[in-house]
Amino acid sequence: LGMMIATYSNARTTLSASRREDGYTKAFNIAFRGGAVMGYMLCSLGVFTLWTLLTVYKLFFDDMEMLMDCAAGYGLGGSTVAMFGRVGGGIYTKAADVGADLVGKVVAGLEEDDPNNPATIADNVGDNVGDIAGMGSDLFGSFAESTCAALVIAAASVSTKQGESLSEAGWDALIFPISISASGILVCMLCSFFATDLRPVRTQPDIEKALKLQLVLSAVLMLPVTYGLAVALLPKEFTLESVRPQGHITASPLKAFACVAMGTIGGMVIGIITEYFTSHTYVPVRELATACKSGAAVNVIFGLALGYKSCIVPVFVLALNIYVAFSLCDLYGIALAALGMLSTLATSLTIDGFGPISDNAGGIAEMAEFPPDVRERTDALDAAGNTTAAIG
C-alpha cells in the first residue's frame, strides 16, 4: 500500500512542481502526505496488531509471563520480514541505480533520467522498493522487537517488600510500552500540520527547515506526553528483575520516564549530528564537493573518512543512553530507551518516504520533458529529503 500511494504521488508531485506561483508548496505537500501514508499506516497497524494479539492471548493465559513470551514471536516475525525486505530491496535499488548510471552516463553519454535510457524505469522502481518497502520493513522490525522486549521484561518482574511487580499492578502498567508508541502516532500527526498548513513551504530554503522542524518538534512534544503516561499507568514503586547480584531493583514512574526521555533526546541529538554531516548547508559536504575536483580517489577517501568521523558522537550518545537507562531501570530501562527513540517513528517514516517520491518526481519530469525549472524544484525537494531521511 505504501509503494502504491508513493507511485501515485510521484506524478502528482511533478505536476504540482510545474506551477510557477506555488510550485514548492503544492509539490512539498503532496510528497509529504504521500510519505505520511507509509509512516502512519505502518505504526498504526503495528500497534493495533500487537494490542489485538495481547488482548486475544489474555483470554487463554492467566500467567502474564507466559503470555508475553508467546507474544515475543511477533517481534521475530517482524525481524524476518525486515531481513528480506531491507536486504532484498536495498540490493535491488542500488543495483538498479548504479546500473542505470553506468549504461546511461558512462556508456551512452546520456543525462540522468534521460527518456532514451530504459534503465531509468528500473531506477525509479528501485527507489520505491528500497527506500519505502525496505525502510518500512526494517523499522517495523525494530519497533516490534523493542516493544516485545519491554513487554517480556515487564512481565518477568516479581513483587518484593519494596514494591509490587508490574503484572500485579494491572494490565495498564504492563502495556505501558505500547502506550508510548500509540501516543507517538498522535503527536506526530499533530506536528505534521506545521509543515503542510501552519508553516507551509514557499521557497527552496524552507524545505529542509520544514522537515527538520518535524523531527525536533515531535521529539520535544513526546516528552510531556510520556511523563503523563508514566505517572498515569505505572505504580508509584515497582520491582524489576535485574542482572545485578541483588537480583532485583526498585523503579518508579519518574525513572521510567527518564529512560524514555533519554532515548527520545538521544535520537534527536543523533539526528542533528547526522544533518550536520549530510546537509549541503554545512561545511563537511561542501568540503567533500571541493575534494571531488581532485579526482575520484580523493573523493572516495575523503568521503569514507567523513563517514567514520560522523559516527563518533552518535556512538557516545548511544553509550550514554544505555548506561543511564541501565542504571535507572536495568534491562527494562534499555528497552524503554529504545522505544523512546522509536516514539517518533511515524514522522521518521514520513520523511523517509518523502525522499524517493521527490526523486522519482524528478525522473518523471526529465522523461516527460518538462521545462528545466520543474526539475530544479523536484531536485531541491530530493536534496532536502536525502538529508532528512538520513536524520530519520
Side-chain angles (χ1 to χ4, degrees):
L1 185 59
M3 287 197 295
M4 182 181 69
I5 298 298
T7 304
Y8 290 151
S9 302
N10 297 338
R12 296 178 183 182
T13 302
T14 305
L15 192 61
S16 298
S18 64
R19 301 173 56 152
R20 296 184 182 275
E21 299 81 11
D22 54 354
Y24 279 117
T25 304
K26 296 294 185 181
F28 176 88
N29 287 350
I30 290 176
F32 186 83
R33 288 166 178 160
V37 172
M38 180 67 186
Y40 293 107
M41 180 190 65
L42 186 143
C43 295
S44 301
L45 285 178
V47 171
F48 178 73
T49 305
L50 182 56
W51 178 83
T52 304
L53 187 66
L54 294 176
T55 303
V56 172
Y57 278 177
K58 200 168 78 163
L59 301 175
F60 299 96
F61 295 97
D62 294 326
D63 186 356
M64 291 296 106
E65 186 174 358
M66 185 179 294
L67 186 154
M68 295 304 174
D69 285 343
C70 293
Y74 181 75
L76 181 61
S79 300
T80 304
V81 173
M83 178 179 64
F84 289 102
R86 187 57 170 156
V87 176
I91 291 174
Y92 177 85
T93 184
K94 294 309 172 188
D97 190 0
V98 175
D101 287 342
L102 286 175
V103 72
K105 296 177 182 178
V106 179
V107 178
L110 301 174
E111 295 292 331
E112 185 171 2
D113 296 325
D114 191 287
N116 295 309
N117 182 6
T120 300
I121 301 299
D123 184 13
N124 291 341
V125 173
D127 289 334
N128 278 344
V129 173
D131 296 335
I132 292 182
M135 179 66 73
S137 62
D138 185 16
L139 291 177
F140 175 76
S142 300
F143 159 78
E145 291 166 351
S146 301
T147 307
C148 290
L151 292 172
V152 169
I153 296 171
S157 59
V158 294
S159 58
T160 63
K161 295 179 180 178
Q162 286 78 18
E164 59 183 344
S165 66
L166 288 176
S167 299
E168 294 175 344
W171 184 249
D172 292 342
L174 203 59
I175 63 170
F176 170 64
I178 300 180
S179 67
I180 297 173
S181 301
S183 61
I185 299 173
L186 299 177
V187 169
C188 293
M189 191 177 297
L190 291 175
C191 292
S192 67
F193 290 106
F194 279 87
T196 57
D197 297 285
L198 299 180
R199 293 187 61 182
V201 171
R202 302 190 189 281
T203 59
Q204 179 179 345
D206 293 341
I207 301 171
E208 194 168 323
K209 293 178 182 177
L211 296 176
K212 183 180 178 182
L213 177 66
Q214 289 296 298
L215 293 168
V216 175
L217 188 62
S218 57
V220 171
L221 290 182
M222 270 304 298
L223 297 179
V225 172
T226 305
Y227 178 77
L229 289 172
V231 172
L233 300 179
L234 297 176
K236 292 183 178 179
E237 283 192 344
F238 55 93
T239 57
L240 296 166
E241 288 212 7
S242 172
V243 295
R244 304 174 196 180
Q246 63 265 34
H248 64 270
I249 61 167
T250 303
S252 65
L254 187 60
K255 289 183 178 180
F257 161 71
C259 294
V260 180
M262 285 294 296
T264 304
I265 296 173
M268 185 176 65
V269 170
I270 292 174
I272 293 172
I273 295 298
T274 305
E275 183 200 19
Y276 175 75
F277 282 98
T278 57
S279 174
H280 58 81
T281 308
Y282 301 104
V283 176
V285 172
R286 293 181 179 273
E287 288 183 345
L288 180 59
T290 305
C292 293
K293 298 178 182 178
S294 302
V298 178
N299 181 19
V300 172
I301 295 171
F302 196 101
L304 190 61
L306 199 61
Y308 286 140
K309 187 178 179 181
S310 68
C311 296
I312 296 174
V313 175
V315 167
F316 279 102
V317 170
L318 286 174
L320 180 63
N321 275 354
I322 294 172
Y323 175 78
V324 174
F326 185 81
S327 300
L328 293 175
C329 294
D330 211 83
L331 296 179
Y332 187 62
I334 297 176
L336 290 181
L339 281 176
M341 283 191 176
L342 294 171
S343 60
T344 57
L345 182 59
T347 294
S348 299
L349 276 172
T350 297
I351 296 173
D352 285 332
F354 173 87
I357 290 174
S358 302
D359 189 3
N360 287 348
I364 293 172
E366 185 72 25
M367 288 186 288
E369 297 182 352
F370 273 77
D373 62 307
V374 178
R375 183 60 192 257
E376 290 177 6
R377 294 190 188 99
T378 57
D379 283 350
L381 294 172
D382 184 28
N386 288 336
T387 296
T388 46
I391 296 173

PDB file of all heavy atoms in Angstrom, residues 215-216 219 261-276 310 313-314 316-318 321 341 391:
ATOM      1  N   LEU A 215      10.992  16.710  12.866  1.00  0.00           N
ATOM      2  CA  LEU A 215      11.748  15.788  13.718  1.00  0.00           C
ATOM      3  C   LEU A 215      11.945  16.354  15.120  1.00  0.00           C
ATOM      4  O   LEU A 215      11.738  15.662  16.118  1.00  0.00           O
ATOM      5  CB  LEU A 215      13.103  15.487  13.070  1.00  0.00           C
ATOM      6  CG  LEU A 215      13.050  14.685  11.764  1.00  0.00           C
ATOM      7  CD1 LEU A 215      14.406  14.693  11.076  1.00  0.00           C
ATOM      8  CD2 LEU A 215      12.615  13.255  12.035  1.00  0.00           C
ATOM      9  N   VAL A 216      12.346  17.605  15.199  1.00  0.00           N
ATOM     10  CA  VAL A 216      12.639  18.212  16.503  1.00  0.00           C
ATOM     11  C   VAL A 216      11.353  18.418  17.300  1.00  0.00           C
ATOM     12  O   VAL A 216      11.290  18.089  18.493  1.00  0.00           O
ATOM     13  CB  VAL A 216      13.385  19.549  16.317  1.00  0.00           C
ATOM     14  CG1 VAL A 216      13.580  20.244  17.655  1.00  0.00           C
ATOM     15  CG2 VAL A 216      14.733  19.316  15.649  1.00  0.00           C
ATOM     16  N   ALA A 219       9.816  15.189  18.692  1.00  0.00           N
ATOM     17  CA  ALA A 219      10.593  14.660  19.809  1.00  0.00           C
ATOM     18  C   ALA A 219      10.355  15.471  21.084  1.00  0.00           C
ATOM     19  O   ALA A 219      10.204  14.905  22.177  1.00  0.00           O
ATOM     20  CB  ALA A 219      12.078  14.667  19.457  1.00  0.00           C
ATOM     21  N   ALA A 261      12.856   9.347  27.955  1.00  0.00           N
ATOM     22  CA  ALA A 261      13.328  10.677  27.558  1.00  0.00           C
ATOM     23  C   ALA A 261      14.764  10.618  27.041  1.00  0.00           C
ATOM     24  O   ALA A 261      15.119  11.318  26.080  1.00  0.00           O
ATOM     25  CB  ALA A 261      13.222  11.644  28.726  1.00  0.00           C
ATOM     26  N   MET A 262      15.600   9.800  27.675  1.00  0.00           N
ATOM     27  CA  MET A 262      16.978   9.657  27.192  1.00  0.00           C
ATOM     28  C   MET A 262      17.000   9.134  25.758  1.00  0.00           C
ATOM     29  O   MET A 262      17.773   9.605  24.913  1.00  0.00           O
ATOM     30  CB  MET A 262      17.757   8.710  28.103  1.00  0.00           C
ATOM     31  CG  MET A 262      18.168   9.309  29.438  1.00  0.00           C
ATOM     32  SD  MET A 262      19.360  10.649  29.266  1.00  0.00           S
ATOM     33  CE  MET A 262      20.763   9.788  28.584  1.00  0.00           C
ATOM     34  N   GLY A 263      16.138   8.160  25.467  1.00  0.00           N
ATOM     35  CA  GLY A 263      16.075   7.636  24.107  1.00  0.00           C
ATOM     36  C   GLY A 263      15.563   8.669  23.113  1.00  0.00           C
ATOM     37  O   GLY A 263      16.117   8.821  22.017  1.00  0.00           O
ATOM     38  N   THR A 264      14.522   9.420  23.505  1.00  0.00           N
ATOM     39  CA  THR A 264      13.951  10.423  22.607  1.00  0.00           C
ATOM     40  C   THR A 264      14.944  11.538  22.323  1.00  0.00           C
ATOM     41  O   THR A 264      15.167  11.932  21.161  1.00  0.00           O
ATOM     42  CB  THR A 264      12.666  11.009  23.218  1.00  0.00           C
ATOM     43  OG1 THR A 264      11.749   9.954  23.516  1.00  0.00           O
ATOM     44  CG2 THR A 264      12.014  11.984  22.256  1.00  0.00           C
ATOM     45  N   ILE A 265      15.562  12.066  23.384  1.00  0.00           N
ATOM     46  CA  ILE A 265      16.533  13.158  23.218  1.00  0.00           C
ATOM     47  C   ILE A 265      17.779  12.654  22.494  1.00  0.00           C
ATOM     48  O   ILE A 265      18.342  13.340  21.637  1.00  0.00           O
ATOM     49  CB  ILE A 265      16.889  13.769  24.582  1.00  0.00           C
ATOM     50  CG1 ILE A 265      15.655  14.418  25.201  1.00  0.00           C
ATOM     51  CG2 ILE A 265      18.008  14.800  24.444  1.00  0.00           C
ATOM     52  CD1 ILE A 265      15.853  14.897  26.617  1.00  0.00           C
ATOM     53  N   GLY A 266      18.222  11.450  22.848  1.00  0.00           N
ATOM     54  CA  GLY A 266      19.386  10.876  22.176  1.00  0.00           C
ATOM     55  C   GLY A 266      19.159  10.718  20.684  1.00  0.00           C
ATOM     56  O   GLY A 266      20.044  11.020  19.869  1.00  0.00           O
ATOM     57  N   GLY A 267      17.972  10.253  20.316  1.00  0.00           N
ATOM     58  CA  GLY A 267      17.656  10.135  18.904  1.00  0.00           C
ATOM     59  C   GLY A 267      17.656  11.478  18.195  1.00  0.00           C
ATOM     60  O   GLY A 267      18.119  11.591  17.053  1.00  0.00           O
ATOM     61  N   MET A 268      17.160  12.505  18.887  1.00  0.00           N
ATOM     62  CA  MET A 268      17.152  13.840  18.291  1.00  0.00           C
ATOM     63  C   MET A 268      18.565  14.381  18.111  1.00  0.00           C
ATOM     64  O   MET A 268      18.894  14.982  17.083  1.00  0.00           O
ATOM     65  CB  MET A 268      16.330  14.797  19.166  1.00  0.00           C
ATOM     66  CG  MET A 268      16.154  16.185  18.583  1.00  0.00           C
ATOM     67  SD  MET A 268      15.075  17.225  19.591  1.00  0.00           S
ATOM     68  CE  MET A 268      16.050  17.352  21.094  1.00  0.00           C
ATOM     69  N   VAL A 269      19.428  14.145  19.108  1.00  0.00           N
ATOM     70  CA  VAL A 269      20.821  14.601  19.015  1.00  0.00           C
ATOM     71  C   VAL A 269      21.538  13.903  17.863  1.00  0.00           C
ATOM     72  O   VAL A 269      22.261  14.533  17.070  1.00  0.00           O
ATOM     73  CB  VAL A 269      21.558  14.361  20.346  1.00  0.00           C
ATOM     74  CG1 VAL A 269      23.057  14.611  20.185  1.00  0.00           C
ATOM     75  CG2 VAL A 269      20.997  15.260  21.437  1.00  0.00           C
ATOM     76  N   ILE A 270      21.328  12.596  17.742  1.00  0.00           N
ATOM     77  CA  ILE A 270      21.935  11.848  16.640  1.00  0.00           C
ATOM     78  C   ILE A 270      21.448  12.392  15.299  1.00  0.00           C
ATOM     79  O   ILE A 270      22.217  12.526  14.336  1.00  0.00           O
ATOM     80  CB  ILE A 270      21.618  10.346  16.770  1.00  0.00           C
ATOM     81  CG1 ILE A 270      22.334   9.761  17.990  1.00  0.00           C
ATOM     82  CG2 ILE A 270      22.028   9.589  15.511  1.00  0.00           C
ATOM     83  CD1 ILE A 270      21.964   8.325  18.292  1.00  0.00           C
ATOM     84  N   GLY A 271      20.173  12.740  15.233  1.00  0.00           N
ATOM     85  CA  GLY A 271      19.631  13.313  14.007  1.00  0.00           C
ATOM     86  C   GLY A 271      20.263  14.639  13.644  1.00  0.00           C
ATOM     87  O   GLY A 271      20.580  14.906  12.481  1.00  0.00           O
ATOM     88  N   ILE A 272      20.482  15.495  14.651  1.00  0.00           N
ATOM     89  CA  ILE A 272      21.093  16.807  14.399  1.00  0.00           C
ATOM     90  C   ILE A 272      22.538  16.640  13.933  1.00  0.00           C
ATOM     91  O   ILE A 272      23.003  17.333  13.011  1.00  0.00           O
ATOM     92  CB  ILE A 272      21.009  17.677  15.668  1.00  0.00           C
ATOM     93  CG1 ILE A 272      19.553  18.030  15.959  1.00  0.00           C
ATOM     94  CG2 ILE A 272      21.835  18.949  15.506  1.00  0.00           C
ATOM     95  CD1 ILE A 272      19.346  18.724  17.282  1.00  0.00           C
ATOM     96  N   ILE A 273      23.273  15.720  14.561  1.00  0.00           N
ATOM     97  CA  ILE A 273      24.656  15.466  14.138  1.00  0.00           C
ATOM     98  C   ILE A 273      24.679  14.923  12.709  1.00  0.00           C
ATOM     99  O   ILE A 273      25.520  15.314  11.876  1.00  0.00           O
ATOM    100  CB  ILE A 273      25.326  14.464  15.107  1.00  0.00           C
ATOM    101  CG1 ILE A 273      25.459  15.083  16.500  1.00  0.00           C
ATOM    102  CG2 ILE A 273      26.702  14.055  14.580  1.00  0.00           C
ATOM    103  CD1 ILE A 273      26.321  16.324  16.562  1.00  0.00           C
ATOM    104  N   THR A 274      23.745  14.029  12.404  1.00  0.00           N
ATOM    105  CA  THR A 274      23.675  13.476  11.053  1.00  0.00           C
ATOM    106  C   THR A 274      23.393  14.568  10.027  1.00  0.00           C
ATOM    107  O   THR A 274      23.959  14.569   8.928  1.00  0.00           O
ATOM    108  CB  THR A 274      22.579  12.392  10.981  1.00  0.00           C
ATOM    109  OG1 THR A 274      22.833  11.405  11.981  1.00  0.00           O
ATOM    110  CG2 THR A 274      22.557  11.737   9.614  1.00  0.00           C
ATOM    111  N   GLU A 275      22.510  15.498  10.406  1.00  0.00           N
ATOM    112  CA  GLU A 275      22.214  16.597   9.483  1.00  0.00           C
ATOM    113  C   GLU A 275      23.471  17.425   9.196  1.00  0.00           C
ATOM    114  O   GLU A 275      23.711  17.834   8.055  1.00  0.00           O
ATOM    115  CB  GLU A 275      21.134  17.502  10.077  1.00  0.00           C
ATOM    116  CG  GLU A 275      20.736  18.619   9.130  1.00  0.00           C
ATOM    117  CD  GLU A 275      20.068  19.779   9.835  1.00  0.00           C
ATOM    118  OE1 GLU A 275      20.225  19.897  11.056  1.00  0.00           O
ATOM    119  OE2 GLU A 275      19.426  20.587   9.155  1.00  0.00           O
ATOM    120  N   TYR A 276      24.269  17.653  10.216  1.00  0.00           N
ATOM    121  CA  TYR A 276      25.484  18.447  10.035  1.00  0.00           C
ATOM    122  C   TYR A 276      26.425  17.803   9.023  1.00  0.00           C
ATOM    123  O   TYR A 276      27.066  18.489   8.218  1.00  0.00           O
ATOM    124  CB  TYR A 276      26.197  18.621  11.375  1.00  0.00           C
ATOM    125  CG  TYR A 276      27.530  19.325  11.268  1.00  0.00           C
ATOM    126  CD1 TYR A 276      27.609  20.705  11.069  1.00  0.00           C
ATOM    127  CD2 TYR A 276      28.720  18.610  11.366  1.00  0.00           C
ATOM    128  CE1 TYR A 276      28.826  21.354  10.960  1.00  0.00           C
ATOM    129  CE2 TYR A 276      29.951  19.248  11.264  1.00  0.00           C
ATOM    130  CZ  TYR A 276      29.998  20.612  11.062  1.00  0.00           C
ATOM    131  OH  TYR A 276      31.206  21.245  10.949  1.00  0.00           O
ATOM    132  N   SER A 310      31.629  10.984  11.296  1.00  0.00           N
ATOM    133  CA  SER A 310      30.245  11.272  11.680  1.00  0.00           C
ATOM    134  C   SER A 310      29.693  10.291  12.709  1.00  0.00           C
ATOM    135  O   SER A 310      28.669  10.556  13.329  1.00  0.00           O
ATOM    136  CB  SER A 310      29.352  11.248  10.436  1.00  0.00           C
ATOM    137  OG  SER A 310      29.248   9.939   9.908  1.00  0.00           O
ATOM    138  N   VAL A 313      30.157  10.964  17.575  1.00  0.00           N
ATOM    139  CA  VAL A 313      29.174  11.482  18.538  1.00  0.00           C
ATOM    140  C   VAL A 313      28.001  10.516  18.725  1.00  0.00           C
ATOM    141  O   VAL A 313      27.609  10.251  19.871  1.00  0.00           O
ATOM    142  CB  VAL A 313      28.684  12.876  18.103  1.00  0.00           C
ATOM    143  CG1 VAL A 313      27.566  13.364  19.033  1.00  0.00           C
ATOM    144  CG2 VAL A 313      29.838  13.877  18.128  1.00  0.00           C
ATOM    145  N   PRO A 314      27.396   9.962  17.664  1.00  0.00           N
ATOM    146  CA  PRO A 314      26.307   9.005  17.879  1.00  0.00           C
ATOM    147  C   PRO A 314      26.695   7.812  18.751  1.00  0.00           C
ATOM    148  O   PRO A 314      25.879   7.355  19.555  1.00  0.00           O
ATOM    149  CB  PRO A 314      25.952   8.560  16.455  1.00  0.00           C
ATOM    150  CG  PRO A 314      26.291   9.717  15.607  1.00  0.00           C
ATOM    151  CD  PRO A 314      27.529  10.300  16.225  1.00  0.00           C
ATOM    152  N   PHE A 316      28.902   7.732  21.217  1.00  0.00           N
ATOM    153  CA  PHE A 316      28.943   8.186  22.609  1.00  0.00           C
ATOM    154  C   PHE A 316      27.536   8.457  23.148  1.00  0.00           C
ATOM    155  O   PHE A 316      27.250   8.193  24.319  1.00  0.00           O
ATOM    156  CB  PHE A 316      29.812   9.439  22.731  1.00  0.00           C
ATOM    157  CG  PHE A 316      31.281   9.157  22.790  1.00  0.00           C
ATOM    158  CD1 PHE A 316      32.084   9.343  21.675  1.00  0.00           C
ATOM    159  CD2 PHE A 316      31.869   8.687  23.954  1.00  0.00           C
ATOM    160  CE1 PHE A 316      33.442   9.079  21.720  1.00  0.00           C
ATOM    161  CE2 PHE A 316      33.226   8.415  24.013  1.00  0.00           C
ATOM    162  CZ  PHE A 316      34.014   8.606  22.897  1.00  0.00           C
ATOM    163  N   VAL A 317      26.645   8.974  22.301  1.00  0.00           N
ATOM    164  CA  VAL A 317      25.268   9.215  22.729  1.00  0.00           C
ATOM    165  C   VAL A 317      24.570   7.897  23.045  1.00  0.00           C
ATOM    166  O   VAL A 317      23.875   7.774  24.066  1.00  0.00           O
ATOM    167  CB  VAL A 317      24.496   9.995  21.643  1.00  0.00           C
ATOM    168  CG1 VAL A 317      23.002  10.044  21.964  1.00  0.00           C
ATOM    169  CG2 VAL A 317      25.038  11.407  21.516  1.00  0.00           C
ATOM    170  N   LEU A 318      24.757   6.904  22.196  1.00  0.00           N
ATOM    171  CA  LEU A 318      24.155   5.594  22.450  1.00  0.00           C
ATOM    172  C   LEU A 318      24.710   4.963  23.728  1.00  0.00           C
ATOM    173  O   LEU A 318      23.960   4.384  24.524  1.00  0.00           O
ATOM    174  CB  LEU A 318      24.412   4.671  21.259  1.00  0.00           C
ATOM    175  CG  LEU A 318      23.593   4.939  19.994  1.00  0.00           C
ATOM    176  CD1 LEU A 318      24.066   4.047  18.863  1.00  0.00           C
ATOM    177  CD2 LEU A 318      22.115   4.716  20.249  1.00  0.00           C
ATOM    178  N   ASN A 321      23.165   6.703  26.670  1.00  0.00           N
ATOM    179  CA  ASN A 321      21.777   6.264  26.823  1.00  0.00           C
ATOM    180  C   ASN A 321      21.685   4.909  27.509  1.00  0.00           C
ATOM    181  O   ASN A 321      20.886   4.702  28.427  1.00  0.00           O
ATOM    182  CB  ASN A 321      21.100   6.185  25.443  1.00  0.00           C
ATOM    183  CG  ASN A 321      20.542   7.523  25.004  1.00  0.00           C
ATOM    184  OD1 ASN A 321      20.549   8.493  25.765  1.00  0.00           O
ATOM    185  ND2 ASN A 321      20.073   7.593  23.782  1.00  0.00           N
ATOM    186  N   MET A 341      13.430   6.222  21.321  1.00  0.00           N
ATOM    187  CA  MET A 341      13.966   6.573  20.003  1.00  0.00           C
ATOM    188  C   MET A 341      12.950   6.306  18.897  1.00  0.00           C
ATOM    189  O   MET A 341      12.893   7.030  17.902  1.00  0.00           O
ATOM    190  CB  MET A 341      15.239   5.770  19.720  1.00  0.00           C
ATOM    191  CG  MET A 341      16.456   6.279  20.447  1.00  0.00           C
ATOM    192  SD  MET A 341      17.943   5.487  19.828  1.00  0.00           S
ATOM    193  CE  MET A 341      19.191   6.360  20.778  1.00  0.00           C
ATOM    194  N   ILE A 391      18.697  11.664   8.682  1.00  0.00           N
ATOM    195  CA  ILE A 391      18.439  12.044  10.075  1.00  0.00           C
ATOM    196  C   ILE A 391      17.427  11.088  10.689  1.00  0.00           C
ATOM    197  O   ILE A 391      17.605  10.589  11.802  1.00  0.00           O
ATOM    198  CB  ILE A 391      17.914  13.483  10.148  1.00  0.00           C
ATOM    199  CG1 ILE A 391      18.961  14.460   9.653  1.00  0.00           C
ATOM    200  CG2 ILE A 391      17.513  13.850  11.572  1.00  0.00           C
ATOM    201  CD1 ILE A 391      18.462  15.885   9.534  1.00  0.00           C
TER     202      ILE A 391
END
